[in-house]
Amino acid sequence: MDFVMLRWPIRRGVIVALYLCAVAGLGWGVWAYGFAQALVPLAARGQADLALASDRLVTGLQRYRSVAVLLADHPVLTALHGAAGDPAAADALLLESADKTGALTALYADRSGRVMAAATPARPRDLAGQPWFQRALDGALGVGHAVEPLFGRRAFYYATPSFDAAGQVQGVLVIYVDIYMVERDWRGSRPAVFFTDAQSEVFVTNRSELLFWRRVPGGVAGPGGQLRPVRIREVAGFELWEQELSPYVPGTALRLEQALPVIGMNGVALSDAAPAQRIAALQAAVVMALCIVFGSVLFLVTERRRALARANVQLEGRVRDRTRDLETANAALRREVAERQEAETALRRAQEELVQAGKLSALGQMSAGISHELNQPLMAIRQFADNGAALLDKGRVPAAASNLVRISEMAARAARIIKNLRAFARNENEPMGRVDLCAVLRTAVELTESRLRSEQVALVLDLPPGPVLVRGGEVRLGQVFVNLINNAVDAMAGRPDKRLDIRVAPAGAARVTVRDTGPGIADPEKVFEPFYTTKQVGGEGMGLGLSISYGLVQSFGGRIHGANVPGGGAEFTVELDPWQEEAAA
């Protein structure tokens, strides 16, 4: 029994392999026949496209031929062979003709090749040595093409003889046709078409990357000597090219050719054979699919019970293995989740401590100025109190009452300063909510006002008349702007012109710009990295202020970025999410 069971899989594999080989052979035969049949209409369409492109080229050149024939015997040009000739008039005539026809240039020469008149100042040196010029001297129409050295552009030449009264050739009119102007209207059209000369070199094409390539044994050679292999094969009497000449030339193309003796060139079209391949592949796929489906049905009928039993055993084993793996992965995942929660808690605690340390550091920097701000109202209160007592002794009650009012104002000012300091210094644990951006900016300016005044910094605070409500934390947001103001003051130290502009974008946008006139940011990409600072070693600051500000703004869902201002200085922009009532719900 075991021996039979061992032999059956081998026999089954051999039968399936033979059947698949037969299906593959049948599919290949269907593909080859379908591909050959699909090439017939493709060739007809490609030949029509090639004929249309050839007619377009020949027609575009023929109008220059007509101009050359009609202009060759013009009286102004023939008069150049006599004493009454006017070279200036002849030049003007040729220039007018070139402008109207779009020719590259036009010239008139005598039999020796000496240019007697030309549309442009550029004159060829070896005109008599050109074969198309010699043909015109024989009394026939000379035709040629080359890259014209005078202009560095591809040119097609029409040389027309001019006959004297005795019927002898006395001069030759040459029209230089700019090939680029002829082919520009059909550049990039389909299919890929090019026209080659007697040396099989591409001179005219609607694919500019094929210019000056020529066919050589085994492929095509470029103007720089590079060789691109081309695999040529015959299919049902058609020539197919498999190549990689250009991304805009099909990799598998049907090559069609048409002779153009009137201009001395051959037209070649490379039609994409992919549609024919797709049709053949679809036919082969349908046939193979039908065969495979039929064979699969027969195979499944005989193998159903055997496969189900074997699959059941395998499935049970896989379920056990998968269950064990899932249990292991689940336990590892729970451990990882617990570790991540602990890490997040520690990170949040460290961030809160770092934020509080940053606020206390900012308070330390502002301590001298704040002491001065508190000392002023306290000294004023003492002075007004002494004056009030003296006035009361003299019976001047109204004047004493005025001093009491001033004492109340000074006390309110001192209370406001202390309130701002206490709010700034406290560790805010409140959730984010609605905050007036303008009020936060005014508080930040009040906290840094003494330092701005002591550093002689001109402050421009441009705020809208109404509130600008954003989503954030009032204390933490205030710390962001205090850090930005202190950094700006530090950056402008020692500068002759100290100016700080704080502006809120118009139309109620929640965007604040803080611009200074300092030296700018040395590396804007690293300015928000921790411990990045441009201050001297051992000086104030550890490079954490902007990093803390970046983290605070990110926690509000906002964005902060810094850049250098043209003309000098740095500008930091803080963008926050506007407050929405539905967000509160």
Side-chain angles (χ1 to χ4, degrees), residues 215-559:
R215 186 172 179 178
V216 297
V220 293
Q226 63 270 34
L227 180 66
R228 296 282 180 86
V230 175
R231 181 173 173 236
I232 302 174
R233 57 190 178 97
E234 296 287 336
V235 177
F238 299 107
E239 182 178 333
L240 288 179
W241 279 26
E242 294 180 357
Q243 40 70 37
E244 295 181 359
L245 296 178
S246 164
Y248 306 102
V249 177
T252 302
L254 176 63
R255 185 181 184 276
L256 303 170
E257 186 173 357
Q258 178 179 345
L260 301 176
V262 67
I263 60 174
M265 293 185 181
N266 286 333
V268 179
L270 296 178
S271 298
D272 191 2
Q277 291 176 326
R278 286 195 295 268
I279 293 175
L282 180 61
Q283 294 173 346
V286 171
V287 172
M288 294 176 65
L290 291 176
C291 294
I292 292 176
V293 169
F294 178 73
S296 299
V297 170
L298 294 178
F299 180 79
L300 290 175
V301 169
T302 58
E303 291 292 316
R304 182 176 180 182
R305 291 186 178 180
R306 190 187 308 273
L308 287 176
R310 185 168 57 253
N312 189 31
V313 174
Q314 294 177 353
L315 181 60
E316 290 178 356
R318 290 179 180 177
V319 167
R320 286 193 300 270
D321 295 341
R322 187 60 177 168
T323 301
R324 185 169 55 253
D325 294 341
L326 287 176
E327 291 176 352
T328 304
N330 191 18
L333 184 60
R334 285 196 296 268
R335 288 195 300 271
E336 183 178 354
V337 169
E339 293 174 357
R340 286 182 178 270
Q341 290 176 347
E342 293 177 359
E344 289 178 359
T345 302
L347 180 61
R348 190 177 303 108
R349 187 182 307 112
Q351 185 178 10
E352 292 175 355
E353 293 175 355
L354 185 61
V355 170
Q356 187 66 15
K359 289 191 291 185
L360 295 178
S361 175
L363 286 176
Q365 292 181 357
M366 298 183 296
S367 59
I370 294 173
S371 299
H372 180 70
E373 288 294 321
L374 288 175
N375 188 52
Q376 280 187 339
L378 291 177
M379 293 297 294
I381 289 173
R382 179 178 180 180
Q383 183 177 359
F384 284 129
D386 293 341
N387 292 339
L391 292 173
L392 287 175
D393 291 340
K394 296 179 180 181
R396 299 174 60 184
V397 176
S402 176
N403 282 356
L404 293 176
V405 171
R406 297 297 300 274
I407 290 173
S408 177
E409 292 175 352
M410 292 297 102
R413 178 182 175 185
R416 186 173 66 252
I417 294 174
I418 294 173
K419 178 184 178 182
N420 290 336
L421 288 175
R422 293 178 61 187
F424 183 76
R426 77 173 185 265
N427 192 0
E428 182 185 50
N429 294 318
E430 297 294 331
M432 289 186 294
R434 183 176 63 180
V435 177
D436 184 1
L437 182 60
C438 295
V440 171
L441 286 172
R442 293 189 186 96
T443 300
V445 170
E446 287 183 359
L447 289 173
T448 57
E449 183 178 7
S450 61
R451 189 180 181 200
L452 293 174
R453 188 164 50 251
S454 64
E455 295 289 341
Q456 298 181 352
V457 176
L459 174 66
V460 176
L461 183 62
D462 187 1
L463 302 179
V468 178
L469 301 181
V470 297
R471 182 173 178 268
E474 183 176 359
V475 176
R476 288 173 289 174
L477 187 57
Q479 182 182 357
V480 170
F481 294 114
V482 169
N483 287 343
L484 292 178
I485 294 173
N486 284 332
N487 282 348
V489 175
D490 292 340
M492 292 186 291
R495 308 285 290 189
D497 180 21
K498 299 180 181 180
R499 177 184 173 92
L500 181 62
D501 290 351
I502 303 176
R503 301 179 186 274
V504 177
R511 183 170 68 252
V512 182
T513 58
V514 180
R515 177 183 298 184
D516 60 53
T517 57
I521 306 173
D523 193 347
E525 298 296 330
K526 297 183 178 180
V527 70
F528 293 109
E529 294 183 2
F531 306 108
Y532 175 81
T533 178
T534 58
K535 301 175 183 178
Q536 297 180 356
V537 177
E540 296 182 355
M542 298 177 60
L544 292 176
L546 290 179
S547 177
I548 294 173
S549 300
Y550 182 85
L552 292 176
V553 174
Q554 289 284 328
S555 67
F556 302 149
R559 294 157 298 282

Side-chain angles (χ1 to χ4, degrees), residues 164-245:
D164 58 12
Q168 300 296 321
V169 177
Q170 62 179 353
V172 177
L173 175 67
V174 183
I175 297 291
Y176 290 64
V177 183
D178 189 354
I179 293 298
Y180 175 81
M181 299 298 293
V182 175
E183 69 183 10
R184 66 175 182 176
D185 293 336
W186 44 285
R187 185 178 300 276
S189 60
R190 294 186 178 180
V193 177
F194 53 87
F195 299 88
T196 61
D197 54 18
Q199 288 75 34
S200 298
E201 186 176 80
V202 177
F203 192 75
V204 183
T205 179
N206 60 354
R207 299 291 189 273
S208 59
E209 64 271 16
L210 299 181
L211 281 175
F212 308 120
W213 288 76
R214 66 182 185 279
R215 186 172 179 178
V216 297
V220 293
Q226 63 270 34
L227 180 66
R228 296 282 180 86
V230 175
R231 181 173 173 236
I232 302 174
R233 57 190 178 97
E234 296 287 336
V235 177
F238 299 107
E239 182 178 333
L240 288 179
W241 279 26
E242 294 180 357
Q243 40 70 37
E244 295 181 359
L245 296 178

